[in-house]
Amino acid sequence: MFSILQLRNVALCSVLLAMSGCQTPPPESDTKSEVVAAVVAKLDALPVETYWALVSSNASGLDRAEATSIRLNIDHSRLSGDSGCNQFSAGYQMLENRLSVGLPAATKRGCESPVAQIEQALFALLPTLESASMDGSDLILHGAGDVNLRFTPAAAPID
């Protein structure tokens, strides 16, 4: 028959097997969505009285290294900043997590390419922005077609 040692091993294996069957991991998709939600928080208001520097973008014309000269200032109703060539300003509204940006007005300094092309791309993109989120300390502005502008906090401009 079975020795006491064999019976004890069978009993121990049975207990371990039963315990492991009782623990079910959470569904993988729920875990991933919770992680994404923890990292990227959709905004219902833009962070006002803040200054930002563009660090990356997947938007056509803004996906080049020279675009990182773009600076953005946010107040209660206006986005303003420096395109790398001209100063600009545009009104905006945030209603129920939806961002609406007006057409930008800008100074008229002439610029050489590629800075002029970057500015044109930025000014065309601003009115198409739809929402905003925070990823850690970075501000992400989202446009149609999964277009993103990622900004990092910047020092206030020197007047």
Side-chain angles (χ1 to χ4, degrees):
M1 287 258 146
F2 293 109
S3 72
I4 293 178
L5 185 58
Q6 289 173 324
L7 287 174
R8 188 182 72 158
N9 286 342
V10 168
L12 181 60
C13 287
S14 297
V15 168
L16 290 174
L17 184 59
M19 286 176 55
S20 68
C22 294
Q23 296 175 341
T24 56
E28 191 173 317
S29 61
D30 288 345
T31 304
K32 286 181 183 175
S33 64
E34 288 173 13
V35 169
V36 169
V39 173
V40 178
K42 207 162 201 181
L43 298 177
D44 58 2
L46 291 179
V48 296
E49 299 181 21
T50 56
Y51 302 93
W52 304 91
L54 185 70
V55 289
S56 67
S57 175
N58 63 351
S60 179
L62 296 175
D63 52 357
R64 21 172 48 166
E66 295 89 353
T68 58
S69 62
I70 294 172
R71 299 292 180 263
L72 183 67
N73 307 330
I74 302 174
D75 70 22
H76 294 280
S77 63
R78 298 202 73 71
L79 303 176
S80 61
D82 185 340
S83 69
C85 176
N86 286 293
Q87 302 297 309
F88 68 91
S89 177
Y92 79 89
Q93 290 183 332
M94 283 285 290
L95 298 171
E96 298 178 5
N97 297 338
R98 302 293 297 168
L99 175 62
S100 175
V101 179
L103 294 172
T107 56
K108 302 291 184 196
R109 184 175 354 154
C111 304
E112 304 270 331
S113 270
V115 176
Q117 294 169 340
I118 290 168
E119 180 180 80
Q120 289 172 355
L122 174 66
F123 291 170
L125 179 65
L126 286 175
T128 69
L129 295 174
E130 301 174 339
S131 63
S133 62
M134 293 297 293
D135 182 3
S137 62
D138 287 355
L139 171 67
I140 304 173
L141 301 179
H142 307 276
D146 290 326
V147 168
N148 294 311
L149 299 170
R150 179 179 287 268
F151 292 88
T152 193
I158 299 172
D159 292 329

